[in-house]
Amino acid sequence: METRPFSSPDARKPLGSRGMLGKIDSGWALVAAVVLITFLLVTLKPDPYMRILNAVKDGIWVTLKITLISFVLVLFVGLIGGLGRISKNGVIRGIATVYVEVVRGIPLLVQLMYWYFAFPAVIRDLGAWLNIASLASYRTNAEVMAILGFTFCYGAYMSEIYRAGIQSITKGQMEAARSLGMTYVQGMRYVVIPQAIRVILPPVGNELVTLLKDSSLVSAVSLPDLTRRGREWNATNFRPIETYTMIALVYLIMTLLAARLAVWIEKKTALEK
Amino acid sequence: MADNSIIHIEDVHKYFGKIHALQGISLDVQRGEVVVIIGPSGSGKSTLLRCINRLEEFDAGKIVVDGIPLDTAVNINAVRTEVGMVFQQFNLFPHLSVMDNLLLAQQIVRKRSKAEARETADRLLLKVGIPEKADCFPGQLSGGQQQRVAIARALAMNPKIMLFDEPTSALDPEMIQEVLDVMLDLAREGMTMVVVSHEMGFARAAADRAILMDAGQIVEEGKPTEMFTNPKQERTKLFLSKIL
């Protein structure tokens, strides 16, 4: 609560120090090593590694698409949820709290199944009951349901990150904004949230990486993502070691790059200021 | 006299839970007047100040600022635009440069053009004596410099009234005077000021009136020099003996 990240004169110094630079270097070294291993496998042993890679290529695209679209929506839902959690209005705060607590208490896989299997059934039953043909024959889109599922679930976790970030900014900041005649929304928009975002960048970066990994759960709801494409290839070729080594490497490259991206943004926003 | 009062406070009460923080305060501040409020901590002086721009809601009574009664119907943002406030902890926006600290509210609240806002900001930074710090960030400034920027930021809105909430209490001793000098200048220019502070030198030099608060009430008021040398109330004597 008493974090005042930018108040001390040397608050920015550690970021430019050798410690952080050293960390970035070793981070990139790891990325390079993993890429190199993958490259060697694919070129030196194209059978089966190149074949696997070709077979799962479109799955990589599905994984990235689901992850990125969900993440953008999560950033938005999390902000709404986070503001709701600190709202002075008890009803809004109550709704936000129930949302966060309920969602965090249910496994993500179960939630995804709910969106994919149960939710469309509810719509169909409702359509039959109300005699609306278009609803009664409702067919779901697996991709849309997966994105909804991730957004709903990760939005709850993100709400808590936003809430903590906003609450870490001292009350005096909003008071100063209000005393200058700004509205609550302007104070949030121009004063509190820009500071809170810098505080929450590391945990938000973590969420991106976790979401990328959790996206593999969509293979259970019939989406042809990277994991599912791997499973399919293995089912016809019976090369589990090679298949899952390749899948793991591709995930690792993506997560390591996402982590680098997060660090880069963190560093960039910190140095600008 | 009463016609000229820019702040009219009448029988104001404020509770924090069971604590009766303001117990029927009445006070009129005239246009151009400088009022210094002193008193022990917990006496309600900051609370009173914060009620004037409604950073605190009061529970009973009446406050009229520049002819506008602070009731629930009032557009409080419009009132606050006319009332500048300086905080003990400065509360500069740490993610913005000094210049941007001065520009932000001018542009989004006063709706000034960037050029116009910049002109005001340049003039005020010169006035508070740190034009060379425009591109620094608050974290790179000393406490005294930060507080002077905070004063400039409040002045950039062209307020009719300035409220100071213990503006020098968080400062190292050697930085207090540079902030007081800026406040003295303001007082000389005829700004209406309500200052919560124990800086007796400032009170003697600039204040038209000193007010002693204790336990949510105004105990004594008068000309600072008279009140400090010849207090009428026992409570005032006791308090002054502790801080002088």
Side-chain angles (χ1 to χ4, degrees):
Chain A
M1 287 311 117
E2 53 202 327
T3 323
R4 300 181 59 205
F6 304 103
S7 55
S8 88
D10 47 10
R12 277 171 302 279
K13 269 187 194 160
L15 292 163
S17 71
R18 279 198 64 228
M20 185 58 111
L21 281 175
K23 216 167 145 191
I24 288 165
D25 287 342
S26 66
W28 281 112
L30 187 55
V31 175
V34 176
V35 170
L36 183 69
I37 290 170
T38 313
F39 178 78
L40 288 176
L41 287 176
V42 169
T43 47
L44 298 180
K45 252 188 129 225
D47 185 23
Y49 290 109
M50 195 64 203
R51 287 176 57 214
I52 298 172
L53 194 58
N54 276 326
V56 303
K57 237 178 355 200
D58 61 332
I60 298 177
W61 171 235
V62 171
T63 292
L64 281 176
K65 190 165 80 174
I66 300 278
T67 303
L68 293 179
I69 294 177
S70 301
F71 192 66
V72 169
L73 294 174
V74 163
L75 289 176
F76 185 71
V77 171
L79 177 59
I80 306 289
L83 288 173
R85 289 274 281 154
I86 55 169
S87 170
K88 276 192 196 132
N89 182 320
V91 177
I92 296 176
R93 200 173 57 242
I95 293 171
T97 306
V98 168
Y99 163 59
V100 168
E101 295 300 331
V102 166
V103 165
R104 290 200 305 179
I106 301 170
L108 176 54
L109 182 57
V110 175
Q111 290 187 42
L112 288 174
M113 290 179 162
Y114 213 94
W115 283 99
Y116 183 68
F117 297 112
F119 177 73
V122 168
I123 301 237
R124 279 194 295 273
D125 287 354
L126 206 65
W129 185 55
L130 294 170
N131 253 330
I132 303 172
S134 60
L135 286 187
S137 60
Y138 177 75
R139 282 267 163 276
T140 178
N141 176 324
E143 234 165 59
V144 172
M145 285 303 133
I147 288 170
L148 273 177
F150 283 125
T151 303
F152 199 71
C153 178
Y154 270 73
Y157 289 93
M158 195 63 85
S159 297
E160 286 300 274
I161 293 176
Y162 272 105
R163 181 188 59 73
I166 290 171
Q167 286 180 337
S168 77
I169 306 303
T170 53
K171 228 175 94 205
Q173 289 291 310
M174 182 55 100
E175 286 186 349
R178 298 307 302 270
S179 78
L180 288 164
M182 289 185 218
T183 62
Y184 175 81
V185 173
Q186 287 173 330
M188 274 289 165
R189 156 91 177 72
Y190 294 103
V191 176
V192 176
I193 290 177
Q195 295 180 56
I197 283 180
R198 288 170 176 81
V199 177
I200 67 175
L201 269 175
V204 167
N206 277 338
E207 289 297 286
L208 174 61
V209 172
T210 314
L211 176 59
L212 183 57
K213 290 184 291 177
D214 278 352
S215 73
S216 64
L217 292 172
V218 297
S219 60
V221 290
S222 78
L223 259 183
D225 75 323
L226 174 56
T227 305
R228 191 181 178 90
R229 281 286 180 252
R231 258 166 55 193
E232 286 167 2
W233 195 86
N234 184 51
T236 43
N237 296 278
F238 311 110
R239 307 280 290 266
I241 299 177
E242 292 87 342
T243 306
Y244 291 113
T245 302
M246 196 64 207
I247 299 294
L249 282 170
V250 175
Y251 271 115
L252 193 55
I253 290 172
M254 291 196 292
T255 53
L256 288 176
L257 281 176
R260 288 301 95 209
L261 178 73
V263 170
W264 180 75
I265 292 174
E266 208 180 305
K267 189 174 153 246
K268 190 146 176 72
T269 51
L271 283 178
E272 262 175 17
K273 294 307 153 196
Chain B
M1 250 324 229
D3 292 342
N4 202 26
S5 84
I6 190 164
I7 304 172
H8 174 70
I9 301 171
E10 197 179 311
D11 196 27
V12 162
H13 291 260
K14 165 77 187 174
Y15 293 85
F16 290 110
K18 280 183 179 165
I19 298 163
H20 198 171
L22 295 179
Q23 309 185 1
I25 301 282
S26 294
L27 174 68
D28 275 275
V29 179
Q30 310 303 316
R31 247 169 242 282
E33 194 181 13
V34 177
V35 176
V36 169
I37 305 176
I38 59 174
S41 73
S43 60
K45 24 185 223 308
S46 287
T47 306
L48 176 62
L49 200 68
R50 291 160 61 88
C51 282
I52 297 174
N53 67 351
R54 235 178 65 188
L55 281 183
E56 297 293 353
E57 305 272 349
F58 48 95
D59 298 305
K62 193 166 125 185
I63 296 182
V64 182
V65 175
D66 197 25
I68 306 167
L70 300 190
D71 48 44
T72 42
V74 74
N75 176 2
I76 191 63
N77 298 318
V79 176
R80 283 176 180 151
T81 313
E82 308 297 333
V83 182
M85 185 155 195
V86 175
F87 300 87
Q88 184 177 356
Q89 297 297 339
F90 328 137
N91 293 345
L92 290 179
F93 305 138
H95 61 302
L96 299 177
S97 69
V98 165
M99 178 52 77
D100 287 338
N101 264 276
L102 267 66
L103 294 182
L104 181 62
Q106 288 194 70
Q107 290 185 271
I108 65 172
V109 179
R110 283 283 193 211
K111 310 279 183 210
R112 287 179 187 152
S113 71
K114 178 129 191 182
E116 197 186 351
R118 243 198 122 86
E119 214 177 287
T120 314
D122 283 332
R123 180 170 52 78
L124 287 168
L125 284 178
L126 199 63
K127 184 189 174 86
V128 300
I130 36 176
E132 74 281 5
K133 299 289 185 191
D135 296 322
C136 291
F137 285 84
Q140 299 166 312
L141 305 183
S142 72
Q145 290 170 331
Q146 288 193 51
Q147 193 60 299
R148 286 187 281 157
V149 173
I151 295 173
R153 180 178 68 178
L155 289 175
M157 302 299 284
N158 297 98
K160 295 177 178 153
I161 301 164
M162 284 287 282
L163 308 176
F164 293 84
D165 190 2
E166 308 208 26
T168 56
S169 302
L171 294 176
D172 291 337
E174 76 269 23
M175 292 170 184
I176 290 176
Q177 198 53 46
E178 63 189 57
V179 171
L180 291 180
D181 285 342
V182 170
M183 292 169 62
L184 279 166
D185 276 348
L186 263 185
R188 273 190 218 109
E189 288 165 15
M191 174 65 78
T192 306
M193 295 162 67
V194 182
V195 183
V196 171
S197 173
H198 292 155
E199 293 298 333
M200 294 301 163
F202 172 80
R204 280 176 207 274
D208 300 299
R209 195 158 31 131
I211 290 174
L212 180 93
M213 281 184 70
D214 187 32
Q217 288 171 325
I218 292 178
V219 175
E220 182 170 350
E221 56 182 302
K223 289 234 173 286
T225 36
E226 276 174 40
M227 192 168 132
F228 297 161
T229 45
N230 203 1
K232 293 188 185 70
Q233 305 287 335
E234 274 308 310
R235 187 70 193 80
T236 315
K237 276 179 206 166
L238 186 68
F239 179 73
L240 289 173
S241 71
K242 281 180 186 158
I243 62 165
L244 286 178

